[in-house]
Structure formats: structure tokens, C-alpha cells
Amino acid sequence: MIFTACIIALTAGSTSTSTAEDQAFLALLAETKVGRMAGMPMMDLKSLPAGIKLPPEAMMFMGGASRILNIRLWSPSIAPADATATIAAPAGLKQGAKLDLELFRPTGSEGSEKIKDFDPDSNPEFTIKIYWGSSETVREGQPKVISWAGMPEDQKAVMRQKVRESQAASSYFYKPNWTTAFWPTKKQAGNIAEDASLIGRYSLTTNYTGNVDIEAPSNVNFLAPYSITSPDLERRMDLKKFIALTWPTIPNLLGQNASAMGMEGKSTIILWSSSEVFTEGLMGEMGFLQMAEVRDFVAKTIFMPGEATKVTIPAGIFQNADFAMGNLVGYGPGAALDKAQPLPRIQTKTTMMLMLGGKKMR
């Protein structure tokens, strides 16, 4: 979809570093996730009658927090047929003594064939309006308006390339001729209990790309979920007015980012970021960031500090939107090694997706 592709292009950030050609990477990515829809009461999913299951789309906005652990092992070759990768996990994770990673091996042009080119030339009115900063009213000089029709051809080419790179990075197709080992799998669903802990030692054993141990220290654990205390999310929001979101302090956060997106018809996207300075690269969810990056963004007022408990979306920027949705992201501490094969890291974050409303959601 054109609009999704545009957002991907705007949010694409580069965190690549120069490394040896044979360097493999291991990532343990821990997220606490919650969703709410303004005007919809929270539902205790445990109170549902036995055998009743809601579709994922509904469960996403019921307000219950879920814990997610994704493990990715990227190696710069196609692993042999007998390749195996397992992780010995701490008992507190409550996933058993061994996590068996499944391997994905791209073949030929697999992956690149699935990446659709981003080209809204068929929609000459395609426009992006960008707002930024926490305030009750739109600040002077905003919005920044980007018109596809008026964009130079070299900038269009850059945006198309960013979309392709982002789509590839978000799939198992990491790079051509790289193998991705992953967990959870069909055999091990990876449902993380509310009282599970991330803390402890993780030992990776493979027969094709090296072995490594990494420790999640006592401060690197699943983060607390976001819980909006104001406004009352069981009531519909008036998108003509400013939206002042408040939440309790979340321990151990290094930095936070808020963003929102709305659609007006088929040609206009509205984007807002809590960043106090304009930057095209941070208009949405940034994935997992390393601790140094988060601290740098906080220092530059691109991110809110970890102890922040409120943010305000300016009045009226989504009043004509067919739908509008927001995101809160808090980045927590992690762990990493400077030298190893593969090179490991553990990262944590807590997120909330919030459906704000819109003309087609009444």
C-alpha cells in the first residue's frame, strides 16, 4: 500500500556499522506490548468463557499487556542442511531448558521478489503533512508539507530505496545469501508468562556459525507496560482538541518516543512526532535501538527522557482524518559484547498502540 510504504520510508533509520564480512549477529529482543482503542472499555481476557477466542485484531486493543521475546541469529552464508542452533535459557524465562531455533535460508532472488516498489506517481495529489513537538496548539512554521508531485527525481529515488531496505530488514530476508535462525517457532510458540524473567545467562550453540554466551543482568528485564491515566480511554476522543496523554512512571527507561499518524482520504498522510526538533527519520516506531543511540536522541531532544510521564498532541491536526492512531515507545537497558562470533546483544522496550479515532471510526 502506498501510504504504508511512505511511512516506512520516513521512519527508516540507519544504524549499520562497518564489520568484518564473516561477522554473524545474535539479537534477543524483549518487548512489552499493549494496545487500546479510545471509546472501547478494557476487557479482562481471562474472564472470557472457556473456548471463546477473539481474533488477533480485537485482542490487540483490549488493553491487556503481552510479553514478547524474539530471537534472531544472522549469519553471512547459507547454512548447510544439517545446521542447528539452540539456546540454553535461564529457568526464570519459563520456556524450558533449550530453545531450538528454526533456520531460514533464502534461495535465488527470494525476498527481493516480495519487495514491491514504492511509486505513487499514479496519485499526483499524494501529500505528507508533518508536525512535531509536544504542545496544545500547532507551533509556528508547521506543518512541513511534502508533495510527491513536486519532489525532485533524485529524492524520489532515495525514498524508493529506503522502502526496499526497510521491507527487507523487517523480513527474514536479512541480506542476500545470509541465513536467519529464529525463535519462537511453530514447535515452540514462545508464550511468555506474566511472571517470567529475562534475567540470566543465554548460551548459543551452533554447528555452523560459532557459539557465544551473554548475560542479562538484574536491570535488564521485561519492562512494565504503558497504562494511560488521562484521558479516559473508555470515552471517544474529540480530535478537534489537543490530546494530553499521561501515564505512570515506567522504571528503568532510558528514553521515550511518541508518534501519531492519520489518513485524510486517499491522498494525504498526517504525521506527528514528540520530537522537539524536526527530523524526517524519526516519525514513527524505530524498532530496537542501542542504549547509546537512545541517550543521544534524548540529549538532542528528539526523544523524551525516560522519566517523562506526559505528552500532548496539538489540537486539530487529525480533526479531518478518516482514522488516526498513535504509538508510545519506551526504550530500556540492554546488554552486549564488543567482540564475539556471533556478536550478541539483548535489547528491551515497552510499547503502546493507541487508536485515537477518526471520521470512519464513529
Side-chain angles (χ1 to χ4, degrees), residues 28 65-66 116 121 125 184 217 226 285 288 312 342 353:
L28 291 89
S66 60
K116 296 181 180 180
D121 284 325
E125 297 181 358
Y226 277 104
E285 220 279 277
F288 284 85
T312 302
M353 181 181 291

Side-chain angles (χ1 to χ4, degrees), residues 96-293:
K98 186 178 71 170
L99 311 180
D100 295 312
L101 279 62
E102 188 173 327
L103 274 64
F104 173 82
R105 302 172 179 86
T107 58
S109 60
E110 184 176 358
S112 61
E113 294 177 350
K114 300 177 183 179
I115 297 173
K116 296 181 180 180
D117 200 11
F118 168 56
D119 194 355
D121 284 325
S122 60
N123 188 352
E125 297 181 358
F126 180 70
T127 302
I128 308 168
K129 296 180 181 179
I130 304 175
Y131 301 82
W132 62 96
S134 175
S135 61
E136 295 184 358
T137 58
V138 174
R139 295 179 179 178
E140 185 177 355
Q142 297 188 29
K144 179 180 177 64
V145 179
I146 298 175
S147 169
W148 180 261
M151 187 180 297
E153 287 302 320
D154 59 340
Q155 291 186 20
K156 289 182 180 181
V158 169
M159 183 171 284
R160 291 189 184 100
Q161 180 60 28
K162 283 185 176 182
V163 171
R164 287 191 289 267
E165 292 173 355
S166 297
Q167 290 176 328
S170 64
S171 73
Y172 290 125
F173 187 73
Y174 180 63
K175 290 181 181 179
N177 299 316
W178 281 57
T179 297
T180 301
F182 60 93
W183 187 92
T185 66
K186 291 182 178 179
K187 293 182 178 179
Q188 295 180 323
N191 298 318
I192 308 298
E194 292 181 9
D195 59 347
S197 171
L198 191 66
I199 298 168
R201 181 172 293 275
Y202 296 80
S203 299
L204 171 73
T205 301
T206 80
N207 62 359
Y208 68 100
T209 193
N211 308 319
V212 70
D213 291 357
I214 187 169
E215 183 91 17
S218 59
N219 68 323
V220 178
N221 205 345
F222 292 101
L223 297 165
Y226 277 104
S227 178
I228 299 297
T229 54
S230 179
D232 181 358
L233 294 184
E234 296 196 2
R235 298 178 179 272
R236 293 185 180 274
M237 292 186 180
D238 185 349
L239 299 185
K240 295 180 181 179
K241 300 179 180 179
F242 64 84
I243 302 170
L245 301 172
T246 62
W247 59 90
T249 301
I250 297 178
N252 295 327
L253 290 190
L254 304 177
Q256 302 177 80
N257 181 42
S259 62
M261 170 269 194
M263 291 284 304
E264 287 184 6
K266 298 181 179 180
S267 301
T268 302
I269 292 180
I270 303 162
L271 300 175
W272 170 84
S273 168
S274 60
S275 174
E276 290 300 310
V277 294
F278 175 77
T279 170
E280 291 184 356
L282 294 173
M283 297 305 296
E285 220 279 277
M286 292 291 293
F288 284 85
L289 299 176
Q290 298 186 38
M291 292 187 288
E293 293 177 298

Side-chain angles (χ1 to χ4, degrees), residues 294-311:
V294 176
R295 293 189 179 104
D296 182 55
F297 289 155
V298 171
K300 293 176 179 177
T301 68
I302 294 171
F303 279 4
M304 299 177 286
E307 61 271 18
T309 58
K310 60 182 179 180
V311 72

